[in-house]
Amino acid sequence: MDALPLIRPLTAADAAAYRTLRLQALRDHPEAFGASYKDEVARSLEMTARRLDGGPLNCVFGAFAGDDLVGTAGFIVPDQSLKSRHKGLLVGVHVAPAHRGHGLGRALVTAVIDHARAHVVLLQAGVGVANTPALRLYESLGFRHYGREDKALRVDGVFIDEALIVLDFAGDT
């Protein structure tokens, strides 16, 4: 890979490609996502398209190699109440196996960070404690640990603990 693929927000027009990549990620790495393959495969393409048109507080960034979607990272503000809308979540980070090891995950997460900075004070994420490459990436981008959620996920009867991490934009100038 000579140069990083194009990174841009996905739209409803990307729904089919996004759904294909997301289902692959959920099937191959169920321990890495709060969503499940079984739940996601039941959702229609129209539901996926609506999700991609969620506005600036519910968006997904995609990485393209040519015309192929090869990576994603999402940003959501799940609680938009007055007292909580300052917090957003980094979600759904995935790079197709053939495109790993070239800085694509870093580029996707950086795109989410840059977007989130304009909308929230805190960017949070939950990461499986055994996912060392992801934890190293997030730490190198300034995320810090603030807790741990034991048994955060249950995948095929096995519990997955998550490290709770945060990037605080309050000190940005």
Side-chain angles (χ1 to χ4, degrees):
M1 183 181 293
D2 295 330
L4 284 179
L6 170 71
I7 308 277
R8 66 166 173 80
L10 298 181
T11 68
D14 301 306
Y18 173 71
R19 186 172 193 272
T20 298
L21 184 62
R22 181 158 172 80
L23 288 174
Q24 174 192 357
L26 294 172
R27 184 186 61 239
D28 295 348
H29 303 285
E31 75 288 348
F33 301 94
S36 73
Y37 178 87
K38 185 177 179 180
D39 289 340
E40 197 73 18
V41 78
R43 289 188 173 90
S44 69
L45 188 58
E46 292 76 24
M47 290 174 73
T48 301
R50 280 195 304 274
R51 176 175 182 221
L52 295 178
D53 277 342
L57 301 183
N58 185 3
C59 60
V60 178
F61 288 82
F64 290 83
D67 292 332
D68 297 328
L69 180 64
V70 298
T72 61
F75 169 73
I76 61 173
V77 179
D79 183 351
Q80 295 181 26
S81 67
L82 183 62
K83 293 183 179 181
S84 296
R85 63 182 171 214
H86 65 285
K87 299 182 289 186
L89 294 175
L90 169 66
V91 297
V93 179
H94 175 70
V95 175
H99 294 271
R100 293 180 186 159
H102 302 284
L104 189 51
R106 175 177 295 278
L108 281 162
V109 174
T110 298
V112 171
I113 290 169
D114 292 344
H115 177 81
R117 185 176 276 115
H119 299 286
V120 295
V121 176
L122 298 174
L123 181 60
Q124 300 172 319
V127 183
V129 296
N131 192 344
T132 305
L135 287 168
R136 272 196 305 253
L137 169 64
Y138 300 140
E139 289 167 358
S140 75
L141 290 169
F143 283 85
R144 66 173 175 77
H145 291 254
Y146 72 90
R148 177 184 173 120
E149 183 179 356
D150 294 337
K151 300 178 183 167
L153 302 175
R154 187 173 179 180
V155 179
D156 297 327
V158 176
F159 289 106
I160 309 294
D161 297 344
E162 285 190 341
L164 304 177
I165 60 173
V166 64
L167 186 58
D168 188 341
F169 301 127
D172 287 2
T173 56

